[in-house]
Amino acid sequence: MSKFFTLVFLLCISFVPAQNSNYSTEEFDVSREDLLATNYTLDTTAHAVYIYESGFTEFDPDEDYEVVTDYKAKIKILDKQGIDYATIKVPLGKNRDSDKVMELKDLKAHTFKLVDGRIVKKKVETSATFESEHKFYNEFSFAFPDVEPGDVIQFSYKIVSPFTFDFRTWEFQDDIPKMHSQFTSKIPGNYEYHTTLTGGRKLHKHEDKVIEHCISFGITSSMAGCVETLYVMKDIPAFIEEDYMTSEDNYIAKIEYELKQVTRTDGFERKYTLTWDDADKEIRTSSNWGKQWIKDNAVEDVLPDAISSLPNTLEKAKKIYYFIQENYKWNGEYDIHGDMNIKDIVDSKSGSVLAINSLLHNVYASEEFNVSPVLASTRRNGFAPRVHPAISEYNYFFIQLNLDGKKYNLDVTDEQLDFGRLPFRALNTYARKINLEGSSDWMAIEPNDFSNYAFRDSLKVHKDGTASGISNQHLSGYHAVNFRNKIKENGKDKIFQELSKAQQFTRSTDIAVVNLDDVENGLQIEYTLENVSQKINDLIYLNPFSFQFFEKNPFNLDERTYPIDFGYKNAFSYSAEIHIPEGYSVKQLPEQKAIRLPGNGGALIFNAVSFSENVVMVQCRMTLSQTLYTPEYYDGLKKFFNELLTVQSQSLIVLEENS
């Protein structure tokens, strides 16, 4: 192997016995067996399945040494819902600062079906192909004709990429299962890549082969050797997205390549993977980042004297935060790699995430607060790489204020955020705090406080089984942020119908909202209640929960292989003081519950007691005391939520008339 070639593999190899032998999983051609097969035994819920998929990526001399991927696939359509997979969409990356864009060539696509025992093949015509433009990519799509359950679709194409520094990432896993997926890379020996297998699934096969004199980069260059590497994975389950997860890109099975360096034939080495020292220098000297963050003079007239003249206490820090939040608006763009000038933001009073939060940074710095810029990645964007710095992978920005020994993460893009709280999109485990005079460092992103949702009901039950009273609800933390944004979006008139999670028997005649615009204090909502009758024959069956914490269990998979990430700690509580009608007594109270998750991960406590002859007190509290739970918690969390739903739907206080 060439001395210039280094691959860093984090790979595990496993040989798995072949399954579904009636399918032709080792070849691209569509067989009669592929068409005769009626199901996929490893996943009987699948609507479609990849029988075979392959990719081959190389620097192609016929395409001016651009990165070219030959892609082939055949998919079995198992039922009517599977027909949706007969429209293929291929994203083609582009550089918005130049005219460079990936190109799809040599499309060949056919539908195969059995008709009277004969294999019939129908071609996808050019009229069934479409291309659309988006901000960061173009999309090429094509639709297969006349597809029915039982058919097999087969297609191949070539993607030509001008981004030679960005070698093809191969995703073994998709939202439908795959029987066989293989990828081959052919890389010149003078190109060094960090190569990583992620997603936790094992390879069926991994083979390296050295090819001497395989490529020449021009007439004057000598022939270089290559390393050709084959990766094969079999029986790959579908990746199913579920609530409370960050980007699927963090967890799907895939091969990722990161260019480390290229060695020219004259021996010159050009490094592409930065050290953090390199990255810090690049950040500090960037005209859009570091050079902007030291422009104190650009913000000298931003603050009114009434704030600027205050001593540098927490009170002043909060006044600065809320002043910027109120007077400068986010334009909806992240754009942290775009052009940014602090003076322009001061003048326009609007800008991107980078611009608005950079303005906040500079105002604090000009007032001599200890403040640091922070580069981050949103939950949807996925985790930013930690081992090998790749600044382009970061897509978010906020700041950290250090005051009196306490650290406050600040972001003014959302007018519903209180001081020291990041938007939910930024709660992505960790970020990189920048030191403008030294080395940057990692920082954890985890809210310390609980976000609380407390219900306090007072109900009077009437002899006809109806009930009337008041529900006071208090929300803090992210529950308050979320509810405030929903009220702003939907309007106060729709709070009960669309936001409250009221039970079917719950009715409200009047709603009052307190502290809607006061984000420093908890949001309060008061409902007047006129609940429908729950009387059956001579007994009143009263469910004490007029509202629910959750309407359904968010966890329904048989198995979840990725973490459960709530983003913040949760606490829900419900207390109800229930006055029973005169002449009635309690016949039965619901069963008490006390359930705890392992490792102090959470608890569900419920009880109902007769406080006096005519008053029943109900208490229910649910806590999720961790922001993130490993997959080992999944079954426990699923049962935990089932118990909560049972408590809220089936807890009945039975009242009977005194004889």
Side-chain angles (χ1 to χ4, degrees), residues 419-458:
F419 179 88
R421 194 174 306 282
L422 294 175
F424 181 74
R425 59 180 170 267
L427 302 182
N428 198 22
T429 307
Y430 61 85
R432 191 77 180 182
K433 183 167 68 172
I434 307 303
N435 185 340
L436 294 178
E437 297 179 353
S439 299
S440 62
D441 201 3
W442 294 110
M443 56 169 280
I445 303 176
E446 182 175 331
N448 294 319
D449 62 337
F450 277 84
S451 291
N452 290 280
Y453 199 147
F455 299 73
R456 292 187 294 272
D457 290 2
S458 177

Side-chain angles (χ1 to χ4, degrees), residues 270-282:
R270 181 177 179 184
K271 296 185 182 296
Y272 288 84
T273 300
L274 303 173
T275 65
W276 272 111
D277 286 341
D278 297 328
D280 289 341
K281 182 178 179 180
E282 183 176 324

Side-chain angles (χ1 to χ4, degrees), residues 137-182:
Y137 66 97
N138 293 345
E139 184 177 82
F140 187 94
S141 61
F142 51 98
F144 287 82
D146 190 27
V147 177
E148 299 174 302
D151 293 351
V152 173
I153 58 174
Q154 179 205 61
F155 55 100
S156 64
Y157 53 77
K158 180 164 62 177
I159 291 181
V160 181
S161 171
F163 309 118
T164 55
F165 61 88
D166 191 9
F167 204 75
R168 176 82 175 182
T169 293
W170 183 260
E171 296 181 353
F172 289 105
Q173 205 165 19
D174 207 332
D175 60 352
I176 58 173
K178 296 180 180 180
M179 299 182 196
H180 179 103
S181 180
Q182 68 178 56

Side-chain angles (χ1 to χ4, degrees), residues 213-441:
H213 311 299
C214 79
I215 192 169
S216 172
F217 289 95
I219 299 174
T220 60
S221 300
S222 59
M223 296 293 289
C226 297
V227 172
E228 188 173 287
T229 305
L230 170 67
Y231 308 96
V232 179
M233 198 174 283
K234 288 181 175 290
D235 301 328
I236 311 162
F239 184 89
I240 307 298
E241 286 193 50
E242 198 176 43
D243 289 344
Y244 304 113
M245 62 172 284
T246 54
S247 170
E248 72 169 38
D249 191 57
N250 295 328
Y251 309 115
I252 62 171
K254 64 181 184 297
I255 291 279
E256 289 187 300
Y257 291 82
E258 183 185 1
L259 183 58
K260 181 180 178 182
Q261 72 176 37
V262 176
T263 304
R264 296 192 323 211
T265 54
D266 61 3
F268 176 78
E269 295 180 350
R270 181 177 179 184
K271 296 185 182 296
Y272 288 84
T273 300
L274 303 173
T275 65
W276 272 111
D277 286 341
D278 297 328
D280 289 341
K281 182 178 179 180
E282 183 176 324
I283 291 168
R284 285 194 298 267
T285 58
S286 168
S287 59
N288 295 324
W289 289 352
K291 290 185 177 180
Q292 294 296 322
W293 297 331
I294 60 174
K295 289 187 175 181
D296 294 354
N297 60 335
V299 298
E300 59 186 8
D301 296 324
V302 168
L303 289 179
D305 289 341
I307 296 177
S308 183
S309 61
L310 294 172
N312 280 11
T313 62
L314 180 60
E315 179 189 5
K316 179 178 179 178
K318 288 185 175 183
K319 286 184 178 294
I320 291 173
Y321 174 84
Y322 290 119
F323 178 84
I324 300 297
Q325 185 186 61
E326 182 179 349
N327 290 280
Y328 295 84
K329 300 304 178 184
W330 178 38
N331 63 11
E333 300 286 341
Y334 296 170
D335 206 21
I336 78 161
H337 299 283
D339 293 336
M340 190 269 292
N341 186 292
I342 290 294
K343 189 177 184 306
D344 293 341
I345 309 308
V346 173
D347 293 339
S348 66
K349 296 187 181 296
S350 175
S352 66
V353 162
L354 174 66
I356 296 298
N357 286 330
S358 292
L359 172 65
L360 181 65
H361 169 276
N362 285 23
V363 170
Y364 277 124
S366 70
E367 295 293 317
E368 300 184 351
F369 281 91
N370 183 355
V371 62
S372 300
V374 180
L375 290 181
S377 178
T378 60
R379 292 170 69 91
R380 185 175 292 277
N381 190 57
F383 299 137
R386 299 187 67 166
V387 178
H388 312 296
I391 296 174
S392 62
E393 297 297 316
Y394 291 84
N395 75 327
Y396 206 74
F397 176 80
F398 59 89
I399 70 171
Q400 186 177 86
L401 179 70
N402 193 334
L403 181 62
D404 298 331
K406 293 185 178 181
K407 295 176 180 179
Y408 303 91
N409 296 328
L410 302 175
D411 183 319
V412 288
T413 58
D414 187 339
E415 63 182 10
Q416 309 305 332
L417 288 173
D418 49 319
F419 179 88
R421 194 174 306 282
L422 294 175
F424 181 74
R425 59 180 170 267
L427 302 182
N428 198 22
T429 307
Y430 61 85
R432 191 77 180 182
K433 183 167 68 172
I434 307 303
N435 185 340
L436 294 178
E437 297 179 353
S439 299
S440 62
D441 201 3

